[in-house]
């Protein structure tokens, strides 16, 4: 009878660990999705800033070329 109790106890522990690992995996997957979205957003912002800077540089170059003439 003790052997069955030990086995039941180990099975319960294993199931609890498995449940905990599954929950941790779900949490990590959620975090991964958030991080991927953050990366996508940062790339978009970087491209927008790059375009804005290029536009400003063009304006400055145009201003300088007109002031030299």
């Amino acid at each position: 009878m003790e052997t069955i109790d030990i086995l039941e106890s180990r099975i319960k522990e294993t199931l609890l660990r498995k449940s905990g690992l599954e929950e941790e995996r779900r949490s990590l997957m959620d975090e991964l999705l958030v991080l991927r979205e953050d990366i996508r957003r940062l790339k978009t912002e970087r491209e927008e800033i790059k375009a804005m800077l290029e536009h400003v540089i063009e304006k400055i170059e145009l201003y300088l070329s007109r002031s030299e003439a």
Side-chain angles (χ1 to χ4, degrees), residues 13-29:
E13 288 174 15
T14 302
L15 290 174
L16 284 174
R17 267 190 265 145
K18 181 183 176 200
S19 175
L21 289 173
E22 288 173 349
E23 180 60 34
E24 185 177 356
R25 179 187 174 280
R26 280 191 293 273
S27 174
L28 290 172
M29 290 302 290

Side-chain angles (χ1 to χ4, degrees), residues 15-54:
L15 290 174
L16 284 174
R17 267 190 265 145
K18 181 183 176 200
S19 175
L21 289 173
E22 288 173 349
E23 180 60 34
E24 185 177 356
R25 179 187 174 280
R26 280 191 293 273
S27 174
L28 290 172
M29 290 302 290
D30 291 344
E31 188 175 341
L32 181 62
L33 290 174
V34 169
L35 290 173
R36 283 182 177 160
E37 180 61 26
D38 288 348
I39 289 170
R40 187 200 58 74
R41 184 180 43 79
L42 288 172
K43 284 181 179 179
T44 301
E45 288 177 4
R46 180 179 66 189
E47 292 301 318
E48 290 171 354
I49 290 170
K50 182 179 177 183
M52 194 176 357
L53 285 174
E54 288 174 357

